[in-house]
Amino acid sequence: MQKGQAAIGFIFITLLIDVIGFGIIIPVMPKLLSGMLHIDINETSTYGGYLLFAFAVAQFVFSPVIGNLSDRYGRRPVLLISLLGFGIDYLILAFAPDYWWFLIGRIIAGITGASFTTASAYIADISTSETRSKNFGMVGAAFGLGFIFGPMLGGALATFGTKVPFYTAAGLSFANFLYGYFILPESLLPENRRSFDFKRANPLGSLMQLSKYSEIRSLLLAFIFLSLGAHAVQSTWNYFTMYRFGWSEAMVGYSLGLVGLIVAFVQAFLAQKSAYFLGLERSIVTGFGLYTIGMFLFSVASQTWMMYVFLIPYCFGGIAMPNLQSYMAGHVAPNQQGELQGGLTSLMSLSTIFGPLVMTHVFYFFTTDKAPFYFPGAAFFLGGIMMGASMFITWRALLSKSKNV
């Protein structure tokens, strides 16, 4: 038990440092790209969407490969390679002379960006049915805490120069690699490993493998809508708030820091408690409902204070994801956890291929004269529709499951 707790601690720190590195660059990207491309912030969002698109395509292709390699060779070596790749990516971004180098850096990060996939499989390896929700909640907490310190640090560092956040992110990634090299134990026992299967390792094959899990098949569709809808926040928050309210890099960083604080609290403490008091199924549906409400409220926000208040229902929707992961992981064999997590990451990557492009272009379109009406919050409204669809599908799937028991 003590060894397992130590491993959970390492994975928590690994993801925390990863997300801090990612979060550091978020506040500076809109104005950095705007200055580089000599265009307005609202139009810049579409170029930010292309960067996320490049990252997602690379991750979609390589995530199932990474997940299956971790099922064959263990989690440790795969996780370390991904950490090294992120460090190289941030250095490329720091020295990028033009926009095309940004694209190259994002592609490299997508290829090696296996930390979430492998860390999730690592947690599944060492968790019991009683601790699975709590441990997956710690993954969410790491992301939440990373988004507390990352964007706030990025906004503060931007006062010393727009490239300083990238140097810092690279340093954190390389430090994380060294930490993992000397500390991280292997979690996948030799008897639980399986041979590498290329059919399972290609992205479409990985998605096809997900279809064989009949008990969670409908939940996968809800997972897709959730991932797509979330990009209304993930892809446009910094551009929207700078354009709509004139926020500075520091203000963007502070707002995302608050998001991280609430999400960390929700996923570390409330996710497991909600599963206990409401039941796993109801906690998932309730979380999706809160996500939906938060999105619709964001879409009509007209003042800065509203964005902060409306964060509350949205962030409390965070009880859904760890419980959804726990539910799905509980229906998969131990030697297939890497495949499952790789498949889920492929779904998220697939949503990131289309989500940022859709959301950033919707945001930009409804801020131009070409739109039938002016509606800067249109991306959030679309996100709310997708979250609502996710809630409905999940409710139907879990209700059907309950009736068949």
Side-chain angles (χ1 to χ4, degrees):
M1 178 66 70
Q2 186 174 2
K3 182 178 179 181
Q5 289 300 318
I8 288 293
F10 170 80
I11 292 298
F12 175 82
I13 293 173
T14 295
L15 292 176
L16 176 62
I17 295 177
D18 266 7
V19 179
I20 287 176
F22 183 80
I24 278 177
I25 69 175
I26 292 177
V28 302
M29 288 298 288
K31 292 185 178 179
L32 178 64
L33 290 177
S34 178
M36 177 182 292
L37 299 170
H38 306 291
I39 55 178
D40 294 331
I41 291 290
N42 56 335
E43 186 177 358
T44 299
S45 67
T46 61
Y47 289 87
Y50 294 137
L51 292 178
L52 291 172
F53 169 82
F55 175 88
V57 170
Q59 190 175 65
F60 176 71
V61 173
F62 285 93
S63 281
V65 176
I66 297 299
N68 278 266
L69 284 173
S70 77
D71 280 343
R72 173 63 182 88
Y73 298 105
R75 318 300 184 198
R76 183 178 185 274
V78 173
L79 188 57
L80 292 177
I81 291 173
S82 74
L83 298 177
L84 192 61
F86 273 119
I88 295 172
D89 165 53
Y90 292 130
L91 284 181
I92 291 176
L93 297 182
F95 292 101
D98 55 41
Y99 180 77
W100 295 107
W101 279 98
F102 270 79
L103 282 174
I104 293 172
R106 291 286 78 191
I107 291 171
I108 292 175
I111 292 174
T112 61
S115 59
F116 178 78
T117 302
T118 313
S120 296
Y122 195 110
I123 288 174
D125 290 339
I126 64 176
S127 298
T128 65
S129 58
E130 292 79 14
T131 63
R132 192 176 289 120
S133 287
K134 177 183 177 182
N135 290 341
F136 275 118
M138 294 303 292
V139 173
F143 274 78
L145 288 173
F147 275 109
I148 293 173
F149 299 110
M152 292 178 67
L153 183 59
L157 290 173
T159 61
F160 300 99
T162 55
K163 298 299 182 69
V164 174
F166 296 98
Y167 298 138
T168 306
L172 287 173
S173 295
F174 290 130
N176 203 9
F177 168 80
L178 293 175
Y179 178 54
Y181 183 80
F182 291 107
I183 300 297
L184 181 66
E186 180 56 63
S187 66
L188 187 63
L189 298 175
E191 58 267 26
N192 286 332
R193 300 183 187 186
R194 61 175 175 82
S195 59
F196 183 86
D197 185 348
F198 182 77
K199 291 182 179 179
R200 291 183 170 187
N202 72 77
L204 296 179
S206 177
L207 294 176
M208 292 298 292
Q209 289 297 319
L210 286 178
S211 67
K212 73 183 180 183
Y213 304 122
S214 58
E215 295 190 46
I216 63 172
R217 194 175 298 158
S218 352
L219 297 181
L220 294 173
L221 180 59
F223 186 88
I224 293 173
F225 276 110
L226 171 65
S227 300
L228 285 171
H231 280 286
V233 172
Q234 296 171 6
S235 302
T236 69
W237 180 272
N238 47 353
Y239 300 98
F240 171 83
T241 53
M242 285 184 171
Y243 172 80
R244 186 78 170 89
F245 307 114
W247 286 9
S248 65
E249 292 95 336
M251 193 68 170
V252 170
Y254 296 147
S255 67
L256 291 175
L258 180 61
V259 171
L261 181 63
I262 300 174
V263 168
F265 171 76
V266 169
Q267 297 199 339
F269 299 104
L270 295 187
Q272 187 179 29
K273 291 185 182 298
S274 68
Y276 177 79
F277 288 106
L278 298 177
L280 199 58
E281 293 84 356
R282 288 184 179 179
S283 66
I284 296 170
V285 175
T286 300
F288 286 152
L290 291 170
Y291 273 142
T292 303
I293 293 171
M295 282 289 191
F296 284 135
L297 290 175
F298 287 148
S299 72
V300 296
S302 58
Q303 298 183 44
T304 287
W305 67 265
M306 293 181 178
M307 297 299 289
Y308 283 96
V309 173
F310 298 161
L311 280 175
I312 297 174
Y314 178 78
C315 292
F316 271 67
I319 63 174
M321 184 58 77
N323 287 319
L324 180 63
Q325 284 183 296
S326 175
Y327 186 93
M328 291 191 287
H331 290 77
V332 173
N335 65 349
Q336 295 176 326
Q337 292 295 335
E339 179 179 79
L340 171 65
Q341 301 304 330
L344 292 178
T345 302
S346 289
L347 285 180
M348 286 191 289
S349 297
L350 191 61
S351 74
T352 307
I353 292 174
F354 301 105
L357 293 180
V358 171
M359 296 304 180
T360 55
H361 279 78
V362 167
F363 163 61
Y364 173 58
F365 177 75
F366 278 93
T367 58
T368 66
D369 295 335
K370 297 179 181 179
F373 51 88
Y374 181 74
F375 187 24
F380 294 119
F381 191 85
L382 178 59
I385 293 175
M386 291 183 176
M387 292 293 189
S390 181
M391 177 186 66
F392 178 74
I393 293 170
T394 305
W395 176 77
R396 285 291 302 271
L398 297 179
L399 179 63
S400 174
K401 173 71 176 176
S402 299
K403 287 182 177 180
N404 291 332
V405 172

